[in-house]
Amino acid sequence: MAIWGMSSISPESGDVMDDTNPISCFTLNRTQRLYGFGICFIVGFLISILSTLALATAQLTTFAVFFTLGNIISLFSTSFLIGPGKQIKTMFAPVRMVASIVFIAMIFATLIVAFTVGSAILCLILCIIQFLALFWYSASYIPYGRAAIKKVVGSCIEV
């Protein structure tokens, strides 16, 4: 019995979005999975962007919660393409492990601080670290993406 698409993960699987790797709790075809990905990604992105409206009214805790929620929904969107099991496997591949752990830790830290401590400045700092971790994680999927970022940042820092 396949749980969350785990049985369909195989190293010899060449196509990331092959039809043998759907989310097992749904029976979605390729087009439906693409729609699920697109809708989730856009909704998550919009929630993150709209969360900046809370910044205009100085509600940093509200911003932090909605920014984090948007990131979670956007990250979940790729589960429609490759399945949650394979996504977790790729998130914790050696090249992405540190970025994934920092990103997930910042998600939890942001929500804990927002709901318990209520420190707006700390929430903002955690959101910035969360964004940078997600950016670094995403760059690992682009060939030479991290190297290009290091080069640009390095040239900006040199005096």
Side-chain angles (χ1 to χ4, degrees), residues 1-153:
M1 180 172 147
I3 298 176
W4 293 101
M6 292 294 284
S7 67
S8 60
I9 299 170
S10 64
E12 61 273 3
S13 162
D15 185 10
V16 173
M17 197 178 134
D18 62 12
D19 287 329
T20 62
N21 191 16
I23 299 173
S24 63
C25 57
F26 302 108
T27 53
L28 303 175
N29 63 33
R30 183 178 288 249
T31 303
Q32 292 167 329
R33 290 179 5 212
L34 284 171
Y35 281 133
F37 164 75
I39 290 168
C40 257
F41 184 80
I42 290 169
V43 166
F45 180 75
L46 287 175
I47 290 172
S48 292
I49 294 297
L50 292 175
S51 71
T52 58
L53 295 175
L55 285 176
T57 60
Q59 296 174 341
L60 291 178
T61 304
T62 303
F63 161 75
V65 170
F66 282 102
F67 181 79
T68 301
L69 180 64
N71 281 340
I72 292 169
I73 292 170
S74 292
L75 186 64
F76 175 74
S77 70
T78 56
S79 294
F80 280 97
L81 298 179
I82 62 175
K86 191 168 184 178
Q87 179 174 351
I88 289 170
K89 262 186 150 176
T90 60
M91 282 180 73
F92 293 100
V95 71
R96 295 181 192 94
M97 186 176 298
V98 172
S100 296
I101 290 171
V102 170
F103 177 65
I104 292 168
M106 289 305 104
I107 284 174
F108 285 113
T110 303
L111 294 175
I112 289 169
V113 168
F115 289 122
T116 60
V117 178
S119 170
I121 299 299
L122 187 54
C123 281
L124 187 59
I125 291 168
L126 292 172
C127 282
I128 291 168
I129 297 170
Q130 186 183 133
F131 172 78
L132 293 172
L134 181 60
F135 185 72
W136 192 248
Y137 167 80
S138 300
S140 71
Y141 284 98
I142 301 167
Y144 304 105
R146 287 182 171 177
I149 292 168
K150 285 179 185 177
K151 189 172 183 176
V152 169
V153 170

